[in-house]
Amino acid sequence: MKKMYLFAAAVALAASLTACGSKAPVDNAGTQTGEGTTKQEAAGTSSGDKKTVTFWAWDKEFNIAALEMAKEIYETDHPDVEINIVEVGQNDVVQKLNTGLGSGSLKGLPNAVPIEDYRIQSFLKSYPGAFMDLTSEINYDNFAAYKKGPMTLEGKSYGIPWDNGAAVIYYRKDMIEQAGYTEEDMQDLTWSQFIEMGRKIKEATGKKMISLDPSDIELMKLTMQSAGTWFTKEDGTTPNMENNAALKECLQIIKTITDDDLVRTYSGWAGLLEGVNKGEVAFQLKGCWFTPSIMKGEGQDGLWRVAKIPRLDSVPNATNASKLRRRQLVHPKRR
C-alpha cells in the first residue's frame, strides 16, 4: 500500500513540473496558515538555479508523509528542482482555493493540492479553465478505473489518483474484551449489533463508542455509500432525499448513539486524534488513510485492530464496505 501511495505522489511531482511549464506569475509568494504556519515560495517559479514546485497538503502522518518520501526520491534524480510542501489545513485549502479562483487570481496558489473526490466536480465546473488538463500526461490505466471519473469533465482529466479511501472500523481489542467480546464478534456486523456493542463497552469501561464532529456529515456519506446511494441521483444534480431508506436509517443511527450518550464530540483534526490516541473511544470509523495516525498514539502498541464497517439493517443491498474521503491531486493552472 505504501508503494501505491508513493507512486501516486511521485507521478504528482512529475506532473506538477509539466503543469508549471508555462510562465508563472512572479508575485505569488505568500504565507499560508493551516495546522501549522509555513512560508510558501512562489509556486512554479525559479529559486536561484532551481525550479520550485509547491504543494499544499494536510495530515502530517499521511498526505505530507507520502509527499516527503516522494520529494526525497524526486529531488535526488532532479537536482534542478526544489519541492516545497506547505502544511495547510483541509478546510483552509477549500477556502483559499475558492477565494483565489473566485477572484480570478492565481496569486499564492500552489502547483498541486489534494481535493476529495466529491468536491472535484464542483471546482471544475465553477472555475472552468483554472486547472491543468493532464489527460495526455498521465496513464490512467495504472489506476483503478473508478478514480478517473470524479476528476474528468467533458472528456478531459485534471487530477492524479491519490488514495482509495477504503473505510474500516478501528477498534480497541482490550476494550471489546472487557465487555466480553472477541475479535470474531467484530466481523460482518450490522449497525444494530455495532450499537449494542457500544452500549456494553461503555457500561464495562466507561468509554464512549465513537468520536463524531457535529459539523461534519462524513458518517452519513460513509453509510449511504455502503448501500450504493447518495444525496443526489446519478445525474449528480437531482436531490435524492425523499424515500431514501439509507439516509433515513443513517439519521436514526446518529440520533440513537447521541441519545444513548455513546458519542464523544470533537472539533478539528486535533480533537479527533486526542480521542483516539488518549484511549477515550473504543471505535473509530475512518478511511484506511487514518492508519498512520492511529499508529502514532503513544502507549497503545498492539491495542488497535481493524474490521469491516457495519452495514445498514433495513436496506436490502447494504454492504460492509464503503469509502471515505478519497483524494485526487489537482493542479491549478499556472499562467
Side-chain angles (χ1 to χ4, degrees):
M1 186 175 294
K2 182 181 293 183
K3 292 181 179 178
M4 173 183 173
Y5 296 142
L6 186 57
F7 170 65
V11 170
L13 295 179
S16 293
L17 293 176
T18 300
C20 69
S22 56
K23 289 186 178 179
V26 296
D27 62 342
N28 61 347
T31 299
Q32 302 298 334
T33 303
E35 292 162 359
T37 301
T38 311
K39 185 174 182 214
Q40 179 184 340
E41 300 293 338
T45 61
S46 296
S47 175
D49 296 330
K50 291 188 177 184
K51 179 177 289 186
T52 299
V53 179
T54 297
F55 285 75
W56 287 357
W58 62 90
D59 191 348
K60 290 182 180 179
E61 309 306 329
F62 184 77
N63 293 326
I64 293 175
L67 286 171
E68 291 287 358
M69 293 170 67
K71 170 184 176 176
E72 182 178 353
I73 295 170
Y74 196 89
E75 288 184 344
T76 298
D77 296 334
H78 302 81
D80 61 328
V81 177
E82 180 178 349
I83 307 300
N84 184 31
I85 301 169
V86 183
E87 183 182 0
V88 181
Q90 182 179 4
N91 292 334
D92 288 339
V93 164
V94 175
Q95 180 182 354
K96 291 175 187 295
L97 285 179
N98 278 319
T99 300
L101 296 174
S103 70
S105 170
L106 295 173
K107 183 178 180 180
L109 294 186
N111 296 101
V113 61
I115 295 292
E116 291 87 357
D117 286 8
Y118 57 83
R119 292 188 194 271
I120 294 179
Q121 285 291 309
S122 65
F123 275 105
L124 295 179
K125 292 176 180 178
S126 298
Y127 310 110
F131 295 92
M132 181 63 62
D133 176 10
L134 298 177
T135 308
S136 61
E137 306 295 335
I138 304 297
N139 181 2
Y140 289 98
D141 291 338
N142 288 329
F143 302 93
Y146 69 86
K147 294 291 288 180
K148 184 178 179 182
M151 71 177 76
T152 301
L153 182 66
E154 297 178 352
K156 296 181 179 181
S157 297
Y158 298 88
I160 302 169
W162 183 249
D163 64 30
N164 67 16
V168 298
I169 305 172
Y170 293 96
Y171 68 92
R172 283 280 298 258
K173 179 176 180 289
D174 56 333
M175 291 187 189
I176 68 167
E177 289 177 345
Q178 288 179 57
Y181 292 106
T182 67
E183 293 191 61
E184 287 71 25
D185 294 322
M186 289 298 305
Q187 308 308 312
D188 299 312
L189 291 168
T190 64
W191 264 99
S192 60
Q193 292 170 329
F194 187 44
I195 292 172
E196 182 59 24
M197 291 182 74
R199 293 188 184 108
K200 291 184 178 179
I201 289 170
K202 184 188 175 188
E203 182 180 348
T205 68
K207 304 296 184 180
K208 298 294 178 75
M209 176 182 178
I210 194 170
S211 289
L212 289 180
D213 181 346
S215 66
D216 198 325
I217 61 171
E218 69 176 23
L219 182 59
M220 296 171 66
K221 297 171 186 174
L222 184 151
T223 51
M224 289 177 68
Q225 287 177 122
S226 72
T229 188
W230 194 238
F231 301 99
T232 57
K233 295 185 178 180
E234 291 187 8
D235 61 8
T237 302
T238 306
N240 184 31
M241 304 291 189
E242 187 176 4
N243 298 321
N244 188 325
L247 176 58
K248 180 179 179 181
E249 184 174 340
C250 178
L251 292 171
Q252 183 59 57
I253 287 169
I254 294 173
K255 183 179 187 305
T256 298
I257 60 178
T258 301
D259 290 348
D260 289 1
D261 194 28
L262 301 177
V263 174
R264 173 192 175 274
T265 60
Y266 71 91
S267 177
W269 184 252
L272 168 64
L273 294 181
E274 182 180 38
V276 171
N277 292 337
K278 289 188 176 181
E280 296 179 4
V281 292
F283 306 110
Q284 197 62 56
L285 272 70
K286 284 291 179 184
C288 57
W289 40 262
F290 195 57
T291 298
S293 297
I294 287 277
M295 294 173 66
K296 267 296 198 181
E298 296 182 4
Q300 298 190 65
D301 291 352
L303 297 182
W304 285 97
R305 298 290 190 273
V306 175
K308 292 186 289 185
I309 66 165
R311 66 182 182 275
L312 296 174
D313 290 78
S314 63
V315 182
N317 61 338
T319 67
N320 291 94
S322 187
K323 56 91 177 175
L324 189 63
R325 297 189 186 277
R326 297 180 315 209
R327 286 167 282 265
Q328 322 280 3
L329 278 165
V330 294
H331 301 254
K333 188 183 292 183
R334 312 310 305 175
R335 294 187 179 91

